[in-house]
């Protein structure tokens, strides 16, 4: 059995090969979406290019990914360059290409954290344990959904039903976990921060054409804390604030089972009605 056969499907999917400062990767059938790859998988792969760069200092603090064009199945190349290194932070430019065409652009910030006064103002919601919530049905879902165990407490779009009225809000609360299980790290946290159905699906209770234009994730914990959580499910809470003239936003938080805010996320999404 070779090393790749022992790799978790997520690590195999996000695997990169460095060639003269450029990272080469491939799309993965396991993380296919309705059109192109699952955006969380792409964001995690771009972050991997930063984390594997020999000049990187610190751990991820912020990541912004702009989905400029659809990614075709097959090979891609990533360039990750440190634009500036300060005493505590390092600022990165990242870009994904297919052929000569720039498909994805982005920025990242890594940082050296230090001990300071700390507090969390937002509160961990009151939710049932993940074991008490059924997993969502997989029939008819995109392939990437099958790479996770998703258990929705609130806000699952009933897209298989007909003549359902709109919901009053687009909030979703869900437990999410890699399938098969995998110890949490910055890469899997990045992908899980995008593992939500589009807010317009939940609000309108039907499928509409929609795609993420820009995704931002802020990381609030370090690698040691993430590793200590093992392969436990994490809780995602997300909502839309405004749906207007073809675009909506999406804001959310990602929590550990014991109530630690691990990351917060925002994105702006194109939709057609």
């Amino acid at each position: 059995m070779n090393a790749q056969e022992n790799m978790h499907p997520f690590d195999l999917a996000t695997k990169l090969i460095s060639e003269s400062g450029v990272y080469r990767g491939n799309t993965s059938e396991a993380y296919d979406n309705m059109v192109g790859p699952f955006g969380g998988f792409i964001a995690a792969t771009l972050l991997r290019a930063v984390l594997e760069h020999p000049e990187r200092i610190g751990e991820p603090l912020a990541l912004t990914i702009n989905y400029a064009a659809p990614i075709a199945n097959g090979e891609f190349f990533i360039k990750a360059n440190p634009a500036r290194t300060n005493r505590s932070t390092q600022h990165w430019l990242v870009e994904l290409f297919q052929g000569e065409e720039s498909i994805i652009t982005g920025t990242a910030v890594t940082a050296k954290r230090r001990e300071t006064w700390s507090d969390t103002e937002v509160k961990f919601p009151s939710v049932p344990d993940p074991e008490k919530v059924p997993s969502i049905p997989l029939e008819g879902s995109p392939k990437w959904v099958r790479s996770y165990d998703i258990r929705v407490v609130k806000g699952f779009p009933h897209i298989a039903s007909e003549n359902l009225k709109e919901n009053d809000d687009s909030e979703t609360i869900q437990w999410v976990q890699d399938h098969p299980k995998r110890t949490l790290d910055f890469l899997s946290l990045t992908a899980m921060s995008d593992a939500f159905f589009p807010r317009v699906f939940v609000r309108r209770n039907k499928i509409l054409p929609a795609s993420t234009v820009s995704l931002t994730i802020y990381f609030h914990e370090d690698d040691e804390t993430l590793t200590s959580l093992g392969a436990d499910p994490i809780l995602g809470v997300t909502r839309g604030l405004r749906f207007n003239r073809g675009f909506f936003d999406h804001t959310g938080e990602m929590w550990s089972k014991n109530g630690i805010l691990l990351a917060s996320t925002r994105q702006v999404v194109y939709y057609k009605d």
Side-chain angles (χ1 to χ4, degrees), residues 27 35-37 42 46 65-79 94-106 212-214:
T27 58
V35 177
I42 292 299
L46 285 159
I65 302 298
N66 305 308
Y67 300 88
I71 298 176
N73 288 331
E75 190 175 54
F76 55 76
F77 300 88
I78 297 174
K79 294 181 180 179
V94 290
E95 195 167 8
L96 183 148
F97 297 85
Q98 286 193 306
E100 299 297 321
E101 188 176 4
S102 175
I103 306 294
I104 308 290
T105 65
T212 300
V213 177
S214 184

Side-chain angles (χ1 to χ4, degrees), residues 135-148:
S135 301
I136 64 171
L138 298 178
E139 184 178 357
S141 63
K143 289 184 178 178
W144 72 265
V145 178
R146 301 167 189 269
S147 295
Y148 296 96

Side-chain angles (χ1 to χ4, degrees), residues 164-166 199-206 208 273:
L164 285 173
K165 67 176 183 178
E166 294 183 6
R199 298 300 84 210
V200 72
F201 288 15
V202 177
R203 181 64 189 275
R204 301 294 304 281
N205 249 334
K206 64 180 180 179
L208 296 171
D273 196 354

Side-chain angles (χ1 to χ4, degrees), residues 160-223:
S161 302
E162 295 182 358
N163 302 319
L164 285 173
K165 67 176 183 178
E166 294 183 6
N167 289 313
D168 292 333
D169 63 55
S170 63
E171 183 180 51
T172 291
I173 302 174
Q174 66 181 33
W175 292 103
V176 60
Q177 182 180 40
D178 279 304
H179 178 72
K181 293 180 180 180
R182 178 185 182 277
T183 297
L184 188 67
D185 61 12
F186 284 111
L187 299 178
S188 55
L189 179 57
T190 295
M192 289 181 193
S193 295
D194 190 40
F196 296 93
F197 293 101
R199 298 300 84 210
V200 72
F201 288 15
V202 177
R203 181 64 189 275
R204 301 294 304 281
N205 249 334
K206 64 180 180 179
I207 293 179
L208 296 171
S211 60
T212 300
V213 177
S214 184
L215 163 70
T216 294
I217 301 168
Y218 300 114
F219 302 97
H220 302 304
E221 282 296 340
D222 58 17
D223 184 64

